[in-house]
Amino acid sequence: MGTGYLLKNGCVLSMDARIGQFNRADVLIQDSLIAAVQPNIEVSDADVVVIDASDMIVMPGLVDTHRHMWESLVKTAGTNWSLPVYLQNLYYGAMGSKLRPQDSYIGNLLGSLEALNAGVTTVLDWSMPYSPDHTDGLIRGLQDAGIRAVFAHGVPGETSYWNRESTLSYPENIRGVKERYFSSSDQLVTYGLAIRGPEFSHWDTTVQDIQLAEELDAICSMHVGFGSWGSVDRSISRLYEAGLLTPRINVVHGNTMGMDEFKMLADTGASLSVTPEVEMMMGHGNPATGYFLEHGGTPTLGVDVVTSTGGDMFSQMKFALQAERSRTNELLLAQGAMPGELSLQASQVLRFATSAGAQALGLERKTGSVTPGKEADLIMIRTTDLNLFPVHDPIGAVVQFANPSNVDSVFVAGKLVKQNGKLLHVNLDHIRSKAMESKEYLLTQYRMSDADRIVFS
């Protein structure tokens, strides 16, 4: 039996339609689970720690369905990078290929702590390890951080990854990785595949990779339909006709897919990860948020690359919301009209970042809502901070106003990992030191193309 917690008198956004929203209620955590959500819970157990949540919004932890975690080591380097420049600097034998196993470890540890600090309790790490030792380091980094994660196991980010003629499939040890690290579906870090997909590999390779995901009972994520690649390929249509689209399939970006292909995704239960800020910046195309909604799907959100943007989901909620509103407003303006009620609501976007994300990753039974019986992945947001106070609309406050500095407390599977604005159980000075060692090593191995600028250590 572990320590229990009673969060008293918080504004509870459950993200569960059966439970609803409370202006003031309590949440009881026992062991790793949410035990009850209701007003005026009384407990006599001395092992239950009571936390005053009266000036807090209590809600599910945020779910990031697409992030390259190791890139925390090259944070802020790519604020002026297009997609081709990003690839040139990090892949094609560039920075990413220079990682040592210890760099992979500290990159994933640092990136996971950044996520937790920002209230992101679940993330899909779209990973491209260069060796079994790199794979071990990446997985250990996620585990040691204490985050809930899907380790999406991919292939190295060399030229072959982006070469349609490549026939390279997964390393022979991939089943061994599943057996060694992911024997149970009940653990915090679970297994997925990050496949190249039909736009960046032979069709037969894609089929084999999807079949392997089925065999391993793993989420299968792929980049599809973005940039100039996606404008000519009908990849989703081909997958649909082959019967390969299932709820296991996670499509990333999808900016330039055909309108009928969004319906194919929705009809088969496949998920779509929108990474709006990076997509708008790097040249992927306009975020596909509204297109998927219009065809019956519910998109999810991801940060993608912290080379170019901060590792928090508050920013991505804002970008997704306003990019879609701008798109539909422009259609009305072109007709000589003005919008009435805006086309996309903040409540929908909060769902993208919580319950929809959990469902896309196959984790809806564990996380994504404040529901009794689910694991206690919760965050508490201070409403007394000046950028939020006074709160009239709690959902609007989270989606439009909040940022990581407002995240007071974070629980993952009932364990308190952040409290009073401070991460717990970690030596941040030691982690910063190790991250700087990796950064300095990488800069001796590869100089990024626009790195002629002041570098702060």
Tab-separated table of all heavy atoms in Angstrom, residues 3-8 27-34 49-53 56-62 116-117 119-122 145-148 188 366-368 370 375-381 407-420 422-425:
chain	number	residue	atom	x	y	z
A	3	THR	N	1.283	5.678	-0.378
A	3	THR	CA	0.639	6.868	0.175
A	3	THR	C	-0.533	7.277	-0.699
A	3	THR	O	-0.431	7.329	-1.921
A	3	THR	CB	1.652	8.011	0.264
A	3	THR	OG1	2.718	7.613	1.118
A	3	THR	CG2	1.004	9.264	0.819
A	4	GLY	N	-1.652	7.594	-0.069
A	4	GLY	CA	-2.794	8.121	-0.795
A	4	GLY	C	-2.835	9.626	-0.683
A	4	GLY	O	-2.161	10.237	0.162
A	5	TYR	N	-3.614	10.255	-1.559
A	5	TYR	CA	-3.752	11.711	-1.557
A	5	TYR	C	-5.221	12.064	-1.718
A	5	TYR	O	-5.965	11.407	-2.460
A	5	TYR	CB	-2.965	12.334	-2.707
A	5	TYR	CG	-1.476	12.121	-2.621
A	5	TYR	CD1	-0.869	11.035	-3.254
A	5	TYR	CD2	-0.665	13.008	-1.915
A	5	TYR	CE1	0.501	10.830	-3.181
A	5	TYR	CE2	0.708	12.815	-1.833
A	5	TYR	CZ	1.280	11.724	-2.470
A	5	TYR	OH	2.636	11.523	-2.379
A	6	LEU	N	-5.617	13.110	-1.017
A	6	LEU	CA	-6.955	13.665	-1.192
A	6	LEU	C	-6.794	15.121	-1.614
A	6	LEU	O	-6.318	15.956	-0.838
A	6	LEU	CB	-7.755	13.569	0.109
A	6	LEU	CG	-9.175	14.146	0.065
A	6	LEU	CD1	-10.032	13.425	-0.971
A	6	LEU	CD2	-9.830	14.071	1.443
A	7	LEU	N	-7.173	15.419	-2.833
A	7	LEU	CA	-7.097	16.779	-3.376
A	7	LEU	C	-8.436	17.445	-3.069
A	7	LEU	O	-9.473	17.079	-3.633
A	7	LEU	CB	-6.833	16.743	-4.879
A	7	LEU	CG	-5.720	15.783	-5.348
A	7	LEU	CD1	-5.512	15.897	-6.852
A	7	LEU	CD2	-4.424	16.024	-4.598
A	8	LYS	N	-8.414	18.429	-2.180
A	8	LYS	CA	-9.645	19.002	-1.641
A	8	LYS	C	-10.027	20.304	-2.337
A	8	LYS	O	-9.213	21.203	-2.525
A	8	LYS	CB	-9.482	19.297	-0.142
A	8	LYS	CG	-9.400	18.066	0.746
A	8	LYS	CD	-10.731	17.340	0.850
A	8	LYS	CE	-11.788	18.141	1.571
A	8	LYS	NZ	-13.074	17.384	1.696
A	27	VAL	N	-10.750	14.910	-5.191
A	27	VAL	CA	-10.268	13.737	-5.920
A	27	VAL	C	-9.448	12.911	-4.947
A	27	VAL	O	-8.476	13.398	-4.358
A	27	VAL	CB	-9.401	14.131	-7.134
A	27	VAL	CG1	-8.876	12.876	-7.838
A	27	VAL	CG2	-10.192	15.001	-8.107
A	28	LEU	N	-9.841	11.646	-4.784
A	28	LEU	CA	-9.132	10.736	-3.892
A	28	LEU	C	-8.254	9.801	-4.710
A	28	LEU	O	-8.729	9.130	-5.641
A	28	LEU	CB	-10.128	9.922	-3.057
A	28	LEU	CG	-9.525	8.874	-2.111
A	28	LEU	CD1	-8.631	9.533	-1.056
A	28	LEU	CD2	-10.632	8.047	-1.458
A	29	ILE	N	-6.968	9.768	-4.367
A	29	ILE	CA	-5.996	8.884	-4.997
A	29	ILE	C	-5.580	7.827	-3.982
A	29	ILE	O	-5.156	8.158	-2.864
A	29	ILE	CB	-4.751	9.667	-5.460
A	29	ILE	CG1	-5.141	10.763	-6.459
A	29	ILE	CG2	-3.702	8.737	-6.052
A	29	ILE	CD1	-4.013	11.741	-6.757
A	30	GLN	N	-5.738	6.580	-4.351
A	30	GLN	CA	-5.289	5.478	-3.506
A	30	GLN	C	-4.370	4.573	-4.308
A	30	GLN	O	-4.748	4.080	-5.372
A	30	GLN	CB	-6.485	4.689	-2.959
A	30	GLN	CG	-7.316	5.483	-1.952
A	30	GLN	CD	-8.464	4.700	-1.388
A	30	GLN	OE1	-9.072	3.886	-2.071
A	30	GLN	NE2	-8.794	4.950	-0.122
A	31	ASP	N	-3.157	4.356	-3.761
A	31	ASP	CA	-2.119	3.657	-4.498
A	31	ASP	C	-1.901	4.394	-5.816
A	31	ASP	O	-1.699	5.585	-5.829
A	31	ASP	CB	-2.473	2.186	-4.680
A	31	ASP	CG	-2.602	1.472	-3.338
A	31	ASP	OD1	-1.783	1.764	-2.447
A	31	ASP	OD2	-3.526	0.650	-3.183
A	32	SER	N	-2.014	3.725	-6.938
A	32	SER	CA	-1.763	4.379	-8.225
A	32	SER	C	-3.040	4.858	-8.894
A	32	SER	O	-2.974	5.476	-9.965
A	32	SER	CB	-1.061	3.404	-9.168
A	32	SER	OG	-1.902	2.300	-9.473
A	33	LEU	N	-4.195	4.617	-8.266
A	33	LEU	CA	-5.472	4.811	-8.949
A	33	LEU	C	-6.274	5.980	-8.402
A	33	LEU	O	-6.126	6.388	-7.243
A	33	LEU	CB	-6.320	3.543	-8.835
A	33	LEU	CG	-5.706	2.248	-9.378
A	33	LEU	CD1	-6.674	1.094	-9.159
A	33	LEU	CD2	-5.339	2.377	-10.844
A	34	ILE	N	-7.146	6.501	-9.260
A	34	ILE	CA	-8.164	7.456	-8.843
A	34	ILE	C	-9.286	6.648	-8.198
A	34	ILE	O	-9.885	5.772	-8.835
A	34	ILE	CB	-8.693	8.256	-10.040
A	34	ILE	CG1	-7.555	9.038	-10.697
A	34	ILE	CG2	-9.827	9.185	-9.616
A	34	ILE	CD1	-7.899	9.609	-12.059
A	49	VAL	N	-2.643	11.768	2.431
A	49	VAL	CA	-2.166	13.141	2.564
A	49	VAL	C	-3.207	14.070	1.935
A	49	VAL	O	-3.581	13.906	0.778
A	49	VAL	CB	-0.804	13.325	1.875
A	49	VAL	CG1	-0.361	14.783	1.938
A	49	VAL	CG2	0.238	12.414	2.518
A	50	VAL	N	-3.672	15.041	2.711
A	50	VAL	CA	-4.668	15.987	2.198
A	50	VAL	C	-3.942	17.194	1.601
A	50	VAL	O	-3.067	17.790	2.232
A	50	VAL	CB	-5.624	16.444	3.314
A	50	VAL	CG1	-6.622	17.471	2.776
A	50	VAL	CG2	-6.360	15.237	3.897
A	51	ILE	N	-4.293	17.523	0.355
A	51	ILE	CA	-3.703	18.665	-0.349
A	51	ILE	C	-4.804	19.661	-0.672
A	51	ILE	O	-5.831	19.307	-1.252
A	51	ILE	CB	-3.003	18.205	-1.645
A	51	ILE	CG1	-1.824	17.278	-1.316
A	51	ILE	CG2	-2.523	19.408	-2.453
A	51	ILE	CD1	-1.128	16.715	-2.545
A	52	ASP	N	-4.583	20.890	-0.283
A	52	ASP	CA	-5.558	21.952	-0.550
A	52	ASP	C	-5.498	22.320	-2.028
A	52	ASP	O	-4.491	22.809	-2.530
A	52	ASP	CB	-5.235	23.159	0.312
A	52	ASP	CG	-6.220	24.308	0.108
A	52	ASP	OD1	-7.251	24.104	-0.569
A	52	ASP	OD2	-5.947	25.413	0.621
A	53	ALA	N	-6.588	22.065	-2.745
A	53	ALA	CA	-6.660	22.377	-4.170
A	53	ALA	C	-7.652	23.498	-4.443
A	53	ALA	O	-8.127	23.663	-5.576
A	53	ALA	CB	-7.054	21.126	-4.958
A	56	MET	N	-6.932	25.763	-7.325
A	56	MET	CA	-6.345	24.973	-8.407
A	56	MET	C	-7.406	24.453	-9.368
A	56	MET	O	-8.552	24.210	-8.993
A	56	MET	CB	-5.602	23.750	-7.842
A	56	MET	CG	-4.573	24.054	-6.774
A	56	MET	SD	-3.035	24.680	-7.469
A	56	MET	CE	-2.058	24.806	-5.956
A	57	ILE	N	-6.978	24.281	-10.621
A	57	ILE	CA	-7.718	23.467	-11.580
A	57	ILE	C	-7.083	22.087	-11.554
A	57	ILE	O	-5.869	21.940	-11.728
A	57	ILE	CB	-7.649	24.062	-12.999
A	57	ILE	CG1	-8.391	25.395	-13.053
A	57	ILE	CG2	-8.230	23.085	-14.024
A	57	ILE	CD1	-8.175	26.174	-14.346
A	58	VAL	N	-7.889	21.060	-11.285
A	58	VAL	CA	-7.420	19.675	-11.260
A	58	VAL	C	-7.924	18.995	-12.524
A	58	VAL	O	-9.126	19.015	-12.814
A	58	VAL	CB	-7.935	18.934	-10.016
A	58	VAL	CG1	-7.422	17.500	-9.994
A	58	VAL	CG2	-7.531	19.674	-8.744
A	59	MET	N	-7.021	18.401	-13.268
A	59	MET	CA	-7.393	17.837	-14.571
A	59	MET	C	-6.449	16.697	-14.936
A	59	MET	O	-5.436	16.480	-14.259
A	59	MET	CB	-7.345	18.928	-15.642
A	59	MET	CG	-5.993	19.599	-15.790
A	59	MET	SD	-5.910	20.710	-17.215
A	59	MET	CE	-5.718	19.511	-18.543
A	60	PRO	N	-6.761	15.966	-16.004
A	60	PRO	CA	-5.837	14.911	-16.427
A	60	PRO	C	-4.511	15.501	-16.889
A	60	PRO	O	-4.452	16.644	-17.378
A	60	PRO	CB	-6.561	14.253	-17.610
A	60	PRO	CG	-7.928	14.794	-17.636
A	60	PRO	CD	-7.920	16.078	-16.893
A	61	GLY	N	-3.451	14.721	-16.726
A	61	GLY	CA	-2.188	15.116	-17.319
A	61	GLY	C	-2.315	15.193	-18.832
A	61	GLY	O	-3.124	14.486	-19.456
A	62	LEU	N	-1.539	16.064	-19.436
A	62	LEU	CA	-1.592	16.256	-20.889
A	62	LEU	C	-0.889	15.098	-21.600
A	62	LEU	O	0.059	14.503	-21.065
A	62	LEU	CB	-0.962	17.592	-21.250
A	62	LEU	CG	-1.686	18.801	-20.643
A	62	LEU	CD1	-0.839	20.062	-20.748
A	62	LEU	CD2	-3.041	19.015	-21.301
A	116	LEU	N	7.306	16.600	-18.015
A	116	LEU	CA	6.633	16.494	-16.722
A	116	LEU	C	6.475	17.858	-16.064
A	116	LEU	O	5.428	18.178	-15.494
A	116	LEU	CB	7.414	15.555	-15.800
A	116	LEU	CG	7.342	14.064	-16.129
A	116	LEU	CD1	8.339	13.289	-15.298
A	116	LEU	CD2	5.928	13.523	-15.920
A	117	ASN	N	7.507	18.656	-16.131
A	117	ASN	CA	7.438	19.991	-15.537
A	117	ASN	C	6.320	20.821	-16.152
A	117	ASN	O	5.729	21.670	-15.487
A	117	ASN	CB	8.780	20.706	-15.733
A	117	ASN	CG	8.835	22.037	-15.021
A	117	ASN	OD1	8.725	22.110	-13.806
A	117	ASN	ND2	8.990	23.108	-15.793
A	119	GLY	N	3.481	19.590	-17.206
A	119	GLY	CA	2.191	18.936	-17.038
A	119	GLY	C	1.892	17.869	-18.070
A	119	GLY	O	0.765	17.373	-18.139
A	120	VAL	N	2.880	17.481	-18.855
A	120	VAL	CA	2.715	16.395	-19.833
A	120	VAL	C	3.074	15.096	-19.117
A	120	VAL	O	4.247	14.853	-18.809
A	120	VAL	CB	3.603	16.603	-21.062
A	120	VAL	CG1	3.438	15.439	-22.043
A	120	VAL	CG2	3.279	17.928	-21.745
A	121	THR	N	2.081	14.279	-18.853
A	121	THR	CA	2.331	13.039	-18.118
A	121	THR	C	2.493	11.833	-19.023
A	121	THR	O	2.963	10.786	-18.570
A	121	THR	CB	1.190	12.768	-17.123
A	121	THR	OG1	-0.062	12.752	-17.826
A	121	THR	CG2	1.149	13.838	-16.035
A	122	THR	N	2.102	11.964	-20.298
A	122	THR	CA	2.219	10.861	-21.259
A	122	THR	C	2.765	11.395	-22.566
A	122	THR	O	2.323	12.447	-23.051
A	122	THR	CB	0.853	10.198	-21.522
A	122	THR	OG1	0.310	9.714	-20.291
A	122	THR	CG2	0.977	9.038	-22.495
A	145	ALA	N	12.955	8.883	-15.679
A	145	ALA	CA	12.219	10.140	-15.485
A	145	ALA	C	10.903	9.920	-14.769
A	145	ALA	O	10.377	10.839	-14.131
A	145	ALA	CB	11.974	10.811	-16.827
A	146	GLY	N	10.324	8.716	-14.881
A	146	GLY	CA	9.043	8.450	-14.246
A	146	GLY	C	7.850	8.931	-15.035
A	146	GLY	O	6.749	9.059	-14.489
A	147	ILE	N	8.029	9.160	-16.325
A	147	ILE	CA	6.927	9.598	-17.180
A	147	ILE	C	6.209	8.382	-17.750
A	147	ILE	O	6.789	7.292	-17.860
A	147	ILE	CB	7.465	10.498	-18.317
A	147	ILE	CG1	6.341	11.300	-18.974
A	147	ILE	CG2	8.245	9.672	-19.355
A	147	ILE	CD1	6.854	12.405	-19.900
A	148	ARG	N	4.947	8.530	-18.085
A	148	ARG	CA	4.261	7.496	-18.851
A	148	ARG	C	4.592	7.722	-20.318
A	148	ARG	O	4.436	8.847	-20.826
A	148	ARG	CB	2.748	7.559	-18.638
A	148	ARG	CG	2.006	6.348	-19.249
A	148	ARG	CD	0.496	6.453	-19.049
A	148	ARG	NE	0.134	6.533	-17.641
A	148	ARG	CZ	0.044	5.493	-16.813
A	148	ARG	NH1	0.311	4.273	-17.258
A	148	ARG	NH2	-0.305	5.668	-15.546
A	188	LEU	N	4.734	1.638	-16.868
A	188	LEU	CA	4.604	3.031	-17.304
A	188	LEU	C	5.061	3.229	-18.739
A	188	LEU	O	4.464	3.992	-19.491
A	188	LEU	CB	5.421	3.943	-16.379
A	188	LEU	CG	4.763	4.467	-15.113
A	188	LEU	CD1	5.730	5.375	-14.372
A	188	LEU	CD2	3.479	5.209	-15.427
A	366	LYS	N	-6.201	3.526	-19.032
A	366	LYS	CA	-5.288	3.906	-17.962
A	366	LYS	C	-5.313	5.388	-17.648
A	366	LYS	O	-5.146	5.787	-16.490
A	366	LYS	CB	-3.847	3.520	-18.344
A	366	LYS	CG	-3.588	2.045	-18.474
A	366	LYS	CD	-2.108	1.825	-18.776
A	366	LYS	CE	-1.784	0.348	-18.911
A	366	LYS	NZ	-0.331	0.138	-19.155
A	367	THR	N	-5.454	6.226	-18.676
A	367	THR	CA	-5.206	7.650	-18.478
A	367	THR	C	-6.060	8.472	-19.429
A	367	THR	O	-6.834	7.950	-20.212
A	367	THR	CB	-3.695	7.946	-18.665
A	367	THR	OG1	-3.414	9.273	-18.225
A	367	THR	CG2	-3.256	7.776	-20.101
A	368	GLY	N	-5.930	9.784	-19.355
A	368	GLY	CA	-6.634	10.678	-20.267
A	368	GLY	C	-7.835	11.372	-19.665
A	368	GLY	O	-8.344	12.329	-20.242
A	370	VAL	N	-10.059	12.140	-15.584
A	370	VAL	CA	-10.121	11.964	-14.129
A	370	VAL	C	-11.316	11.069	-13.845
A	370	VAL	O	-12.426	11.538	-13.566
A	370	VAL	CB	-10.237	13.323	-13.405
A	370	VAL	CG1	-10.156	13.127	-11.888
A	370	VAL	CG2	-9.152	14.279	-13.863
A	375	GLU	N	-5.592	5.161	-13.729
A	375	GLU	CA	-4.401	5.536	-12.992
A	375	GLU	C	-4.382	7.053	-12.790
A	375	GLU	O	-4.866	7.820	-13.630
A	375	GLU	CB	-3.154	5.040	-13.712
A	375	GLU	CG	-3.141	3.513	-13.803
A	375	GLU	CD	-1.770	2.927	-14.070
A	375	GLU	OE1	-0.765	3.543	-13.689
A	375	GLU	OE2	-1.724	1.829	-14.653
A	376	ALA	N	-3.811	7.454	-11.677
A	376	ALA	CA	-3.874	8.867	-11.285
A	376	ALA	C	-2.760	9.656	-11.956
A	376	ALA	O	-1.728	9.955	-11.359
A	376	ALA	CB	-3.796	8.990	-9.771
A	377	ASP	N	-2.972	9.962	-13.237
A	377	ASP	CA	-2.124	10.902	-13.974
A	377	ASP	C	-2.857	12.240	-13.964
A	377	ASP	O	-3.756	12.479	-14.775
A	377	ASP	CB	-1.918	10.445	-15.422
A	377	ASP	CG	-1.136	9.147	-15.539
A	377	ASP	OD1	-0.655	8.630	-14.511
A	377	ASP	OD2	-1.016	8.641	-16.672
A	378	LEU	N	-2.487	13.097	-13.039
A	378	LEU	CA	-3.228	14.337	-12.809
A	378	LEU	C	-2.277	15.509	-12.722
A	378	LEU	O	-1.117	15.360	-12.334
A	378	LEU	CB	-4.006	14.246	-11.486
A	378	LEU	CG	-4.953	13.072	-11.294
A	378	LEU	CD1	-5.514	13.088	-9.879
A	378	LEU	CD2	-6.073	13.125	-12.309
A	379	ILE	N	-2.798	16.688	-13.064
A	379	ILE	CA	-2.045	17.914	-12.845
A	379	ILE	C	-2.930	18.929	-12.133
A	379	ILE	O	-4.163	18.882	-12.236
A	379	ILE	CB	-1.486	18.518	-14.151
A	379	ILE	CG1	-2.600	18.947	-15.110
A	379	ILE	CG2	-0.554	17.521	-14.835
A	379	ILE	CD1	-2.077	19.652	-16.361
A	380	MET	N	-2.275	19.815	-11.402
A	380	MET	CA	-2.960	20.895	-10.693
A	380	MET	C	-2.384	22.215	-11.177
A	380	MET	O	-1.170	22.423	-11.146
A	380	MET	CB	-2.777	20.735	-9.185
A	380	MET	CG	-3.388	19.452	-8.636
A	380	MET	SD	-2.875	19.078	-6.920
A	380	MET	CE	-3.472	20.530	-6.059
A	381	ILE	N	-3.253	23.101	-11.647
A	381	ILE	CA	-2.851	24.387	-12.218
A	381	ILE	C	-3.311	25.504	-11.293
A	381	ILE	O	-4.504	25.592	-10.953
A	381	ILE	CB	-3.458	24.556	-13.621
A	381	ILE	CG1	-2.897	23.486	-14.563
A	381	ILE	CG2	-3.194	25.956	-14.166
A	381	ILE	CD1	-3.550	23.480	-15.937
A	407	VAL	N	1.803	25.259	-13.652
A	407	VAL	CA	1.618	23.867	-13.215
A	407	VAL	C	2.231	23.712	-11.827
A	407	VAL	O	3.451	23.691	-11.671
A	407	VAL	CB	2.244	22.880	-14.207
A	407	VAL	CG1	2.081	21.445	-13.701
A	407	VAL	CG2	1.603	23.037	-15.586
A	408	ASP	N	1.375	23.598	-10.836
A	408	ASP	CA	1.837	23.499	-9.453
A	408	ASP	C	2.261	22.078	-9.100
A	408	ASP	O	3.316	21.872	-8.504
A	408	ASP	CB	0.722	23.943	-8.513
A	408	ASP	CG	1.123	23.863	-7.058
A	408	ASP	OD1	1.663	24.851	-6.545
A	408	ASP	OD2	0.915	22.785	-6.435
A	409	SER	N	1.435	21.094	-9.456
A	409	SER	CA	1.681	19.718	-9.032
A	409	SER	C	1.363	18.754	-10.171
A	409	SER	O	0.472	19.013	-10.997
A	409	SER	CB	0.833	19.354	-7.814
A	409	SER	OG	1.128	20.215	-6.728
A	410	VAL	N	2.095	17.648	-10.189
A	410	VAL	CA	1.921	16.624	-11.219
A	410	VAL	C	1.988	15.251	-10.556
A	410	VAL	O	2.907	14.972	-9.762
A	410	VAL	CB	3.016	16.717	-12.306
A	410	VAL	CG1	2.861	15.597	-13.331
A	410	VAL	CG2	2.987	18.083	-12.999
A	411	PHE	N	1.022	14.412	-10.869
A	411	PHE	CA	1.023	13.016	-10.430
A	411	PHE	C	1.122	12.118	-11.666
A	411	PHE	O	0.449	12.361	-12.669
A	411	PHE	CB	-0.283	12.660	-9.706
A	411	PHE	CG	-0.513	13.362	-8.396
A	411	PHE	CD1	-1.067	14.637	-8.361
A	411	PHE	CD2	-0.185	12.733	-7.205
A	411	PHE	CE1	-1.308	15.278	-7.152
A	411	PHE	CE2	-0.425	13.365	-5.993
A	411	PHE	CZ	-0.969	14.636	-5.962
A	412	VAL	N	1.912	11.057	-11.556
A	412	VAL	CA	1.945	10.013	-12.578
A	412	VAL	C	1.724	8.682	-11.880
A	412	VAL	O	2.502	8.297	-10.997
A	412	VAL	CB	3.282	9.992	-13.341
A	412	VAL	CG1	3.273	8.862	-14.372
A	412	VAL	CG2	3.543	11.331	-14.022
A	413	ALA	N	0.642	8.010	-12.253
A	413	ALA	CA	0.277	6.744	-11.616
A	413	ALA	C	0.264	6.880	-10.094
A	413	ALA	O	0.733	6.003	-9.361
A	413	ALA	CB	1.215	5.620	-12.056
A	414	GLY	N	-0.265	7.983	-9.611
A	414	GLY	CA	-0.416	8.210	-8.186
A	414	GLY	C	0.827	8.689	-7.469
A	414	GLY	O	0.777	8.972	-6.268
A	415	LYS	N	1.935	8.800	-8.180
A	415	LYS	CA	3.175	9.281	-7.570
A	415	LYS	C	3.301	10.779	-7.811
A	415	LYS	O	3.178	11.255	-8.946
A	415	LYS	CB	4.381	8.559	-8.158
A	415	LYS	CG	5.713	9.009	-7.551
A	415	LYS	CD	6.887	8.254	-8.157
A	415	LYS	CE	8.206	8.727	-7.540
A	415	LYS	NZ	9.371	8.019	-8.115
A	416	LEU	N	3.566	11.518	-6.769
A	416	LEU	CA	3.739	12.962	-6.873
A	416	LEU	C	5.147	13.249	-7.398
A	416	LEU	O	6.143	12.963	-6.733
A	416	LEU	CB	3.532	13.593	-5.493
A	416	LEU	CG	3.414	15.116	-5.389
A	416	LEU	CD1	2.299	15.652	-6.280
A	416	LEU	CD2	3.171	15.508	-3.934
A	417	VAL	N	5.223	13.805	-8.619
A	417	VAL	CA	6.526	14.061	-9.241
A	417	VAL	C	6.850	15.553	-9.330
A	417	VAL	O	7.985	15.931	-9.604
A	417	VAL	CB	6.618	13.415	-10.642
A	417	VAL	CG1	6.468	11.908	-10.552
A	417	VAL	CG2	5.584	14.009	-11.603
A	418	LYS	N	5.860	16.403	-9.086
A	418	LYS	CA	6.074	17.845	-9.000
A	418	LYS	C	5.122	18.390	-7.962
A	418	LYS	O	3.940	18.014	-7.927
A	418	LYS	CB	5.827	18.520	-10.358
A	418	LYS	CG	6.100	20.024	-10.357
A	418	LYS	CD	5.848	20.655	-11.739
A	418	LYS	CE	6.172	22.146	-11.725
A	418	LYS	NZ	5.925	22.796	-13.024
A	419	GLN	N	5.619	19.275	-7.106
A	419	GLN	CA	4.775	19.878	-6.074
A	419	GLN	C	5.269	21.282	-5.780
A	419	GLN	O	6.480	21.533	-5.777
A	419	GLN	CB	4.801	19.041	-4.791
A	419	GLN	CG	3.796	19.493	-3.743
A	419	GLN	CD	3.750	18.583	-2.534
A	419	GLN	OE1	4.741	17.963	-2.181
A	419	GLN	NE2	2.577	18.476	-1.928
A	420	ASN	N	4.333	22.188	-5.583
A	420	ASN	CA	4.669	23.591	-5.313
A	420	ASN	C	5.592	24.163	-6.391
A	420	ASN	O	6.486	24.960	-6.107
A	420	ASN	CB	5.308	23.738	-3.938
A	420	ASN	CG	4.394	23.299	-2.817
A	420	ASN	OD1	3.180	23.493	-2.885
A	420	ASN	ND2	4.954	22.670	-1.792
A	422	LYS	N	7.878	22.629	-8.146
A	422	LYS	CA	9.221	22.064	-8.196
A	422	LYS	C	9.158	20.566	-8.505
A	422	LYS	O	8.375	19.830	-7.892
A	422	LYS	CB	9.950	22.256	-6.857
A	422	LYS	CG	10.070	23.703	-6.401
A	422	LYS	CD	11.074	24.469	-7.230
A	422	LYS	CE	11.292	25.873	-6.658
A	422	LYS	NZ	12.239	26.662	-7.471
A	423	LEU	N	10.009	20.122	-9.434
A	423	LEU	CA	10.132	18.691	-9.675
A	423	LEU	C	10.733	18.017	-8.449
A	423	LEU	O	11.623	18.560	-7.793
A	423	LEU	CB	11.010	18.425	-10.894
A	423	LEU	CG	10.400	18.745	-12.258
A	423	LEU	CD1	11.450	18.599	-13.357
A	423	LEU	CD2	9.198	17.849	-12.562
A	424	LEU	N	10.239	16.814	-8.167
A	424	LEU	CA	10.690	16.049	-7.010
A	424	LEU	C	11.544	14.859	-7.453
A	424	LEU	O	11.469	14.420	-8.613
A	424	LEU	CB	9.480	15.537	-6.222
A	424	LEU	CG	8.440	16.579	-5.793
A	424	LEU	CD1	7.271	15.899	-5.098
A	424	LEU	CD2	9.063	17.637	-4.891
A	425	HIS	N	12.325	14.338	-6.550
A	425	HIS	CA	13.063	13.081	-6.741
A	425	HIS	C	14.123	13.156	-7.838
A	425	HIS	O	14.538	12.123	-8.368
A	425	HIS	CB	12.110	11.912	-7.068
A	425	HIS	CG	10.821	11.928	-6.311
A	425	HIS	ND1	10.765	11.863	-4.933
A	425	HIS	CD2	9.527	12.023	-6.737
A	425	HIS	CE1	9.497	11.902	-4.541
A	425	HIS	NE2	8.731	12.011	-5.609
